[in-house]
Structures are given as C-alpha cells and as structure tokens.
Amino acid sequence: MRGEMLTDAIQYEKLDQMRLDFSGYIESNISKIEDKLPVFYGHVISALDSSFPDLDVESYDAFIDAITFKLLDAATRTRESGYTEKVIESALRLKKGKNPQRGLEISVGLKMMKSGDFVHAIPYLKKYRSEDILLHTGLAYCYYALSLNEVAKFRDMKAPSDMELRAREQMIELARIHAGVAQNLPFKAEPWLDRTFWLMISCAIEWFPSQPAFIRIGLMKAKADKNREMRRQILDVAQNRFYNEMVFLREAFLFALEEGNGTDAAGVVKLMIQQYPQSVEPFYYGMLLSFRTVTKSGYHTFRKQAAENGMPPYVLGLLDLSFSLFSGLESESFARLEDMKRKYPSSAYYLDLLRYLAHDIYSGEKTRANKAKKALLDSVDDYVRQIMKCE
C-alpha cells in the first residue's frame, strides 16, 4: 500500500479493520503478549508504518490508545502491582503528539470503570470530563454506582447519599458545559459506554424533571447515533413534560415525518398551533405535511393561515411551486417556475436547480422521481427554515 493515495473514508475503514484484527489477536494471545509487551507494540508500529506511511499524528496516537485500551481490557495481570504502569510506559514511548498521556489516561480510566473499580476510575475521568460527553456521563456513572453500594449498606436512607449527590452534580455540570455530543474520545466508543450515557440521562431526567437540557442532550445523541428507538423514547418524555416548547415540538414533527406517520405529524402541528397561534412556523409545517398527503384543501387552509400570519410572498411562491411538483401538475409547475424567475431574478440560480429536479420528477422513472422529490423536500425545507429563521 506504500505510495497509494487513500481518501479519508477509505483510510479510516482500513485503520478500523486493522484495529479489529489486532483486537482479535489480543483476545486470543493475551498471555503471550503480557510476557513480551515491547515486542507486541513493535509489531503494532511496524504494521502502522507499513500500511499507513503518511498517517497523521492524531490518528497514529489514537490507534495506539485503542490498542492499549484493548490490552488493558483483556489483561489477566491488571491486579499485579505495576502492570498497568508497565503497559502505559510501553505505549507512551511510541506516541508522537503533544499530549501523549491524554489518551492513555482515558484508557486507564475507562478500563477501571468497565471492570467496576469506580473509586480509581474517578480521578482519570474527572480530569478529562469536559472534553467528551461520554467521559462526563461515565464519571457520573461511577459516582452513581458507588451510591448504590451506600444504599445497600444503609437501607434506611431516605435522603440521597453523598455519592448520588455527586452524580447529580456531575449531570448538572454536564448540561452546562457540553453544547454537543461529537465524540472526542481517542478511540471509538463501545456499546457499554453508550449504555452508561443513556442510564445517566434517564437518571437526570428523573432527578431534574423540570430541566429540559437532558432531553435536548438525549435527542442530540440519539440523532447522531441514528438511534431511532431512543429518539422516540426521549420525544415521548419531551411531549409529556415540555409540550409547549417549540424546539421539542419541531423535533417531534420531523421525526413523525421521517417515520411516515402522518397522523402523529398532524397531531403535532395541531399542538403547535394551540401553543403558538401567532407564529407562522406551525402553518408552514402544516403545508409541508400536505406535500406528503397531496391534499389541496389541507394545503390551501394552512397556506391562508400562513399568509395571514405574515409568511413572506417569496416563501409562499416557493411552497406553491413545490406543492405543484409533488401533485404531479407538470405544466403548472413549469409555469410557476418561470413566474418565480420573473418576480425574483436574484433567486434564478436556485430556481434553475429546482428546474433540474422538476425534470427528474416528471421523468417517468419511479426511482429517479422519488429521489428527486426527496432532494426537493430537503432543499426547500432547509431554505425556507433559514429564511424564516427557524432553529
């Protein structure tokens, strides 16, 4: 592979496969590896240099961190004095980045957490909690797990234990400092770490029932992971507790559309109108829903209300054009396109793109037409929500 130019996606896939290969080897040969740690790490570096000669420093170090975590996870000697330090020392010599300890200390903390050594995991996770939301929920989980031990010892406890209070404090801090859920771990998160995230989010929702931040964080995580079941569960909680929050109503509507559930989507639009009767946004979503059902009466009812609530004429024209395209009204669609270009010459570039989609929609090829309709809907929705400044 030396000299071969790889795209980022292909390189990531090949790196991940190599990681899996080494993980399997570690599981089958851990005793031999533990006897000859420097030799094993030598094989790792040789494989990296041979297969990925131009690998960037960050990816190089992340690979070593991932292998180190697997070594610690599979190890039979972790309780031996000095063994963990020996593994870290062997890995540390090979790293190239400016902060080589970071990934290795995270590996140690996560290994201790996974094996139930919560007391010793806490200092490592605490040090890096602000860098990744999974590390922060992992830290909260350590305190929570220790609190269960306290409850088991003192069965007559009525107030939250000291460790539970610390877990709650960490979840409050998490909601304050994490704006997103993008993974900053040095290696790919495993399912058990995601499970601790959902457990602590569920606990936080129970501990702080009036705090919407944990609903927001849960939704971000579920969407990032394409976890539809957790997204559904979190939205159910949001609709019960925060039924008047537009951000959650919007998420519920979009989810219902994605699921092809017109009844639920219509119910959300009705609730939006009840909560925000002066806003144009609920009526826009009603019009958007009409694209799926292609019902003229429904579309024009929502259109009239949207116009009365101040939807800009340009947006109305764009939605009228889109409804014609979804309704299969070919001559009307192209007539509206020309009319829009005359009225709004500054948008000619965008309307020309829609013309290409219109030709695909009326191509007579079902697959091509369906793809064009999806592209049209996604494009128009994104464009309109930007114009109307929807979040």
Side-chain angles (χ1 to χ4, degrees):
M1 279 173 57
R2 190 173 293 274
E4 180 183 352
M5 296 300 290
L6 299 175
T7 65
D8 289 344
I10 294 174
Q11 179 167 277
Y12 178 82
E13 184 179 328
K14 289 181 178 293
L15 262 176
D16 198 46
Q17 185 57 55
M18 184 184 284
R19 179 189 63 79
L20 291 173
D21 291 343
F22 269 111
S23 295
Y25 179 79
I26 289 169
E27 289 175 358
S28 302
N29 300 275
I30 185 61
S31 297
K32 294 179 183 178
I33 293 170
E34 287 174 327
D35 289 334
K36 298 179 180 179
L37 278 173
V39 174
F40 172 74
Y41 272 112
H43 288 315
V44 172
I45 297 309
S46 177
L48 273 179
D49 290 343
S50 174
S51 298
F52 305 97
D54 301 315
L55 190 63
D56 62 277
V57 170
E58 185 178 354
S59 298
Y60 182 95
D61 281 3
F63 191 88
I64 295 173
D65 291 334
I67 295 301
T68 301
F69 175 79
K70 187 63 184 180
L71 266 177
L72 293 171
D73 194 32
T76 61
R77 302 182 184 178
T78 49
R79 295 190 180 276
E80 290 183 12
S81 176
Y83 177 77
T84 298
E85 290 75 9
K86 185 178 178 181
V87 174
I88 299 304
E89 184 180 336
S90 297
L92 199 55
R93 289 197 212 100
L94 307 173
K95 297 190 72 175
K96 300 178 178 180
K98 294 181 179 179
N99 185 10
Q101 292 88 355
R102 176 186 177 272
L104 298 173
E105 289 180 344
I106 289 172
S107 297
V108 173
L110 290 177
K111 161 58 184 171
M112 290 176 171
M113 171 187 161
K114 186 179 179 183
S115 62
D117 188 359
F118 304 117
V119 171
H120 292 104
I122 284 172
Y124 291 102
L125 299 179
K126 194 170 187 179
K127 183 176 180 180
Y128 297 103
R129 70 190 186 280
S130 64
E131 296 186 20
D132 189 279
I133 200 165
L134 292 179
L135 294 178
H136 213 142
T137 51
L139 174 61
Y141 173 76
C142 288
Y143 285 124
Y144 179 67
L146 291 171
S147 78
L148 298 180
N149 294 336
E150 289 181 334
V151 171
K153 288 180 183 178
F154 307 101
R155 296 181 182 277
D156 58 344
M157 289 179 65
K158 294 181 180 179
S161 68
D162 178 60
M163 287 297 169
E164 183 177 317
L165 289 175
R166 293 189 187 190
R168 295 187 184 200
E169 287 171 2
Q170 288 305 319
M171 293 306 291
I172 291 172
E173 183 183 78
L174 176 145
R176 189 178 72 249
I177 69 175
H178 290 280
V181 295
Q183 183 177 305
N184 294 312
L185 291 173
F187 42 81
K188 186 177 180 180
E190 295 186 15
W192 64 268
L193 193 54
D194 278 337
R195 287 194 293 271
T196 62
F197 169 87
W198 288 114
L199 173 62
M200 296 318 300
I201 287 295
S202 298
C203 287
I205 289 172
E206 182 181 337
W207 291 334
F208 312 107
S210 62
Q211 175 55 264
F214 302 107
I215 303 290
R216 175 183 58 79
I217 291 168
L219 279 175
M220 285 194 297
K221 174 71 171 163
K223 289 174 74 175
D225 294 347
K226 295 181 172 54
N227 187 335
R228 305 193 75 79
E229 183 53 38
M230 287 311 304
R231 192 174 168 193
R232 180 181 288 104
Q233 290 183 31
I234 291 290
L235 281 171
D236 284 345
V237 176
Q239 287 183 279
N240 285 327
R241 295 190 185 178
F242 306 103
Y243 57 87
N244 60 345
E245 294 273 353
M246 178 57 90
V247 64
F248 298 136
L249 289 170
R250 187 182 297 121
E251 288 290 341
F253 173 78
L254 295 175
F255 182 68
L257 272 192
E258 289 173 24
E259 294 282 277
N261 192 329
T263 302
D264 281 0
V268 175
V269 169
K270 184 178 180 181
L271 189 55
M272 281 182 176
I273 294 171
Q274 290 173 351
Q275 298 298 325
Y276 299 91
Q278 305 304 314
S279 172
V280 73
E281 193 172 351
F283 303 111
Y284 163 64
Y285 290 130
M287 295 166 76
L288 203 62
L289 181 60
S290 299
F291 289 178
R292 303 294 182 99
T293 58
V294 197
T295 53
K296 266 191 174 182
S297 59
Y299 176 79
H300 287 292
T301 297
F302 286 119
R303 188 193 189 283
K304 179 182 178 183
Q305 292 171 309
E308 290 172 352
N309 278 36
M311 180 175 277
Y314 170 69
V315 174
L316 287 169
L318 191 58
L319 293 172
D320 288 344
L321 167 61
S322 301
F323 186 74
S324 296
L325 286 165
F326 269 84
S327 301
L329 306 173
E330 186 171 357
S331 58
E332 180 181 310
S333 298
F334 286 106
R336 286 188 182 279
L337 264 170
E338 292 304 316
D339 186 53
M340 289 281 289
K341 288 184 75 171
R342 282 194 300 272
K343 287 181 178 178
Y344 309 103
S346 63
S347 295
Y349 70 97
Y350 182 59
L351 294 168
D352 283 339
L353 292 175
L354 296 188
R355 179 184 292 278
Y356 283 111
L357 290 177
H359 284 297
D360 281 354
I361 288 171
Y362 297 124
S363 66
E365 299 176 24
K366 187 174 181 180
T367 301
R368 184 178 172 189
N370 287 339
K371 287 182 178 179
K373 284 182 178 180
K374 185 182 186 309
L376 171 70
L377 189 63
D378 291 344
S379 174
V380 169
D381 181 41
D382 185 58
Y383 194 47
V384 169
R385 286 200 286 143
Q386 284 186 47
I387 292 173
M388 297 197 306
K389 296 181 170 58
C390 300
E391 293 181 15

